[in-house]
Amino acid sequence: MLARQRQELILDEIRRTGAVQVNELVTRLGVSDMTIRRDLDVLAKRGLAEKVYGGATSVVGRSTEEPGFEAKSVRALPQKEAICARAAGLIRPGTAIGISAGTTTWTFARFLDDVPELTVVTNSIRVADALQRAGRTDRTVVLTGGVRTPSDALVGPVAVQTLRSLHLDVVFLGVHGMADGPGFTTPNLNESETDRALVEAGRRLVVLADHTKWGIVGISTIASLDEAHVLVTDDGLAEDVHELLTDRVGELILASTPDEAAV
């Protein structure tokens, strides 16, 4: 198979599913991982795909464009895991916390297995499932109810009404993008209203966002930068962005990311 044919097949798969992984393409196309990585380099240079750890995803574009859950789950994965490990250390046993929907917060849920006596309120079916799988009998998981989105978030009036009746110690928020001016944003109008209600239910707001989220602006603002008591991100931020965020958020925590293999 010619390189161009192979790249067209890869691009078709990215458009169909939102993401591809190197190991799966190696098996499917019967070529080496270095060949697949070169193909992904070509697609990325042409602006047709975005390289991520272990593969590639569709390109993020318009302010209302939101990749599927599977596509987002492989983006900046080492950074997400480092962020979530640091954020889990902020939780005290016996507290009531809120967790928003998203791939970063879904990853975060899997870092809470050792925290006892938690009450967790979430509008994410995937987050709730991850917490329940831990099998802790001292944990209470509350789903808000609401209308289910394609990314398994529960949104709408039922979710908002539920959240407005609650009082949480800390809310952990995942975001689509963050920027000076718009603040923390999402491309989904329905989710933004629910996320704002979740933020208002908490005494403290902790935002979990890797450095690739900087400069991305969704159509709707969830919270301004200065509403975040803590922002946990990774050490990939540019120096000027680091300085700006240090001035704007209550506390900036940088999670160190282990050196990655070339992708």
Side-chain angles (χ1 to χ4, degrees), residues 193-209:
E193 183 182 15
T194 304
D195 283 343
R196 281 195 291 270
L198 180 61
V199 168
E200 292 169 1
R203 290 192 297 109
R204 287 175 57 80
L205 173 62
V206 178
V207 177
L208 312 179

Side-chain angles (χ1 to χ4, degrees), residues 20 80 89 114 171 233:
V20 292
K80 287 178 181 176
D114 295 329
V171 167
T233 186

Side-chain angles (χ1 to χ4, degrees), residues 3-226:
R4 183 171 180 178
Q5 293 174 307
R6 203 170 49 244
Q7 291 157 16
E8 288 176 353
L9 286 174
I10 293 171
L11 184 57
D12 285 344
E13 185 67 11
I14 292 173
R15 288 170 173 166
R16 185 178 70 84
T17 66
V20 292
Q21 295 186 352
V22 171
N23 58 350
E24 292 178 355
L25 292 173
V26 166
T27 301
R28 178 177 173 184
L29 299 177
V31 294
S32 69
D33 62 344
M34 290 304 298
T35 297
I36 295 299
R37 294 179 197 280
R38 284 194 292 269
D39 289 337
L40 297 181
D41 280 335
V42 171
L43 294 174
K45 287 176 182 177
R46 292 169 60 192
L48 300 174
E50 181 179 344
K51 290 188 69 181
V52 297
Y53 185 80
T57 68
S58 57
V59 178
V60 177
R62 300 178 298 274
S63 62
T64 56
E65 182 178 349
E66 183 176 18
F69 190 95
E70 303 304 331
K72 291 189 292 182
S73 67
V74 297
R75 286 181 171 169
L77 184 56
Q79 289 84 356
K80 287 178 181 176
E81 291 179 340
I83 288 166
C84 293
R86 287 294 301 272
L90 301 176
I91 301 177
R92 291 182 297 175
T95 53
I97 67 172
I99 303 178
S100 73
T103 57
T104 303
T105 49
W106 171 68
T107 302
F108 175 62
R110 293 181 282 135
F111 280 81
L112 303 183
D113 290 353
D114 295 329
V115 185
E117 300 179 352
L118 280 182
T119 297
V120 184
V121 176
T122 182
N123 69 316
S124 168
I125 295 171
R126 293 189 187 238
V127 167
D129 285 345
L131 292 168
Q132 294 285 16
R133 287 194 188 105
R136 293 199 67 114
T137 59
D138 61 345
R139 175 175 295 168
T140 301
V141 179
V142 180
L143 266 171
T144 61
V147 178
R148 185 175 184 171
T149 70
S151 61
D152 289 338
L154 299 175
V155 301
V158 172
V160 170
Q161 184 175 358
T162 299
L163 290 167
R164 285 178 176 166
S165 68
L166 299 176
H167 307 281
L168 305 171
D169 297 305
V170 188
V171 167
F172 292 87
L173 178 71
V175 299
H176 175 74
M178 55 180 176
D180 188 22
F184 302 107
T185 60
T186 174
N188 189 306
L189 288 171
N190 289 325
E191 284 197 38
S192 68
E193 183 182 15
T194 304
D195 283 343
R196 281 195 291 270
L198 180 61
V199 168
E200 292 169 1
R203 290 192 297 109
R204 287 175 57 80
L205 173 62
V206 178
V207 177
L208 312 179
D210 66 81
H211 76 278
T212 67
K213 303 291 181 69
W214 180 257
I216 295 177
V217 178
I219 192 172
S220 183
T221 294
I222 303 167
S224 62
L225 295 180
D226 59 12

